[in-house]
Each structure stands twice: as structure tokens, then as C-alpha cells.
Amino acid sequence: MEQLKQKIRSEGVVLSDRVLKVDAFLNHQIDPLLMKQIGEEFARRFRDEGITKIVTIEASGIAPAIMAGLELGVPVIFARKHQSLTMTDHLLTASVYSFTKQVESTIAISTNHLSADDRVLIIDDFLANGKAAKGLIAIIQQAGASIAGLGIVIEKSFQVGRQELEEAGFRVESLARVQSLRDGQVQFID
């Protein structure tokens, strides 16, 4: 997706050979037009998969997931990292480690929103080691739902996430595949 790559080149900041900061348009400040285009692209790639729900993780996956849900006409569920007073019973949970935040979180989705009848598309902002994706997969499998695939906004292809997910039999569609962040430069695969 060329618009996304251009945005990464112009507004992304390489903090190290493993960390890309995109808070100017994706995960702090959000570019609504870019999110609309991202949603359209995910919908184009997964339109024929019989998607009934989109699942993401709070907070950075919400914007692209909502736009994809709007395009596909399906509800969007986000796994919560922080339990609230209203979310206490009948939870599907998994433990997820965040490389960026260096913290382990328990994510949760209510059983009221996900069932064995659902065909789920997972959407997330980043794929690196695949920990968030694997946590979401575990929750979806607990519900007995099927997984159509994973839509990733930015993939760090030099890390193991994609390989492990594909080896487990999951379809992974990434809109921007980063080959390297060496020397402060973003290099893309495509």
C-alpha cells in the first residue's frame, strides 16, 4: 500500500534497528483518511472470506479495525488490556507480552461478543514477534470461532511473527512489510 509506505517514510521515526515510531498517524495521533484507505484495503483483501466479526487489541488496532469493519459491514471487538468494573464474568482471556512496553498483560473479550458461529478477521497495527496475534488467536479459539486471517498495518518482517503464524496455518496480509530499520532508514520488502 503505497500511501502507507509514503506516510512511514515521511512521518515515521526509526528509534533503533527494532523500533519504528509511527505515533504521528497511527498509534497516538490518527490520520483518518489514511485509516479509511487502510480499511478499504483490508476489506478488498478479505471480502470473500465470510467475515462476521473483526477482532483487535486495544488501543492502536482499533482505528484500522473500525475502518475495515465499516467497509465489510461487520462489528469490531477489541480485546481489553485493562479489566473494567463492567467486564467481570464470562471472559475469554490470554496473556500477551508487549515488546514495546516491556510488560505482560492479560487481554480479555466477553463471551457475549464472540461465538463458534463467527468467522473472524484479526486486525492489528504491528506484527513483530506475533505475541499479540497469538493472544488474539487463543481467545478466538476459546470461543470456537474460525479465523479467516490476520490483517496487519505494519509488519517488521525481520522478526519471527509472520513466519510463525504462517507455519501455524494462518493467512497474514500486511500492508507495509519492513525489511530493515538499519542506520535509521526504513527499507521495505515490496
Side-chain angles (χ1 to χ4, degrees):
M1 199 178 146
E2 199 51 44
Q3 305 96 314
L4 175 59
K5 290 178 185 175
Q6 288 173 5
K7 199 73 151 172
I8 293 168
R9 283 186 193 106
S10 66
E11 296 182 33
V13 178
V14 178
L15 297 179
S16 74
D17 64 350
R18 298 178 71 82
V19 180
L20 173 63
K21 182 177 178 181
V22 290
D23 68 342
F25 60 91
L26 179 60
N27 55 21
H28 190 56
Q29 175 172 276
I30 296 170
D31 180 329
L33 181 56
L34 180 63
M35 289 309 113
K36 182 178 185 302
Q37 294 166 337
I38 285 169
E40 290 168 352
E41 183 61 19
F42 283 137
R44 185 187 70 75
R45 293 184 187 200
F46 288 97
R47 190 167 310 282
D48 298 328
E49 290 293 326
I51 307 296
T52 62
K53 301 265 174 79
I54 293 175
V55 169
T56 191
I57 192 166
E58 69 176 347
S60 301
I62 295 174
I66 285 175
M67 292 303 191
L70 183 65
E71 286 296 314
L72 290 170
V74 300
V76 175
I77 304 165
F78 64 91
R80 291 180 174 244
K81 292 181 188 173
H82 308 285
Q83 204 165 345
S84 72
L85 293 174
T86 62
M87 198 169 156
T88 56
D89 295 327
H90 311 291
L91 299 178
L92 306 164
T93 63
S95 187
V96 173
Y97 179 76
S98 169
F99 169 79
T100 309
K101 296 183 177 98
Q102 300 284 302
V103 67
E104 184 98 16
S105 300
T106 298
I107 59 171
I109 292 177
S110 170
T111 57
N112 295 334
H113 304 307
L114 200 56
S115 76
D117 296 331
D118 287 313
R119 181 136 173 90
V120 178
L121 170 60
I122 296 170
I123 301 266
D124 207 1
D125 62 335
F126 269 96
L127 173 62
N129 291 312
K131 302 297 185 195
K134 289 174 186 173
L136 292 173
I137 289 166
I139 285 176
I140 293 162
Q141 290 174 335
Q142 288 171 41
S146 64
I147 299 169
L150 294 93
I152 306 298
V153 178
I154 301 170
E155 173 190 321
K156 293 194 274 183
S157 299
F158 54 88
Q159 292 181 269
V160 299
R162 180 187 194 94
Q163 178 183 342
E164 290 181 359
L165 292 168
E166 287 182 335
E167 286 174 358
F170 296 104
R171 175 182 173 192
V172 179
E173 293 282 342
S174 300
L175 303 185
R177 295 185 68 195
V178 176
Q179 181 175 10
S180 168
L181 296 172
R182 269 185 243 116
D183 301 322
Q185 299 296 313
V186 180
Q187 300 295 322
F188 294 104
I189 284 184
D190 302 315

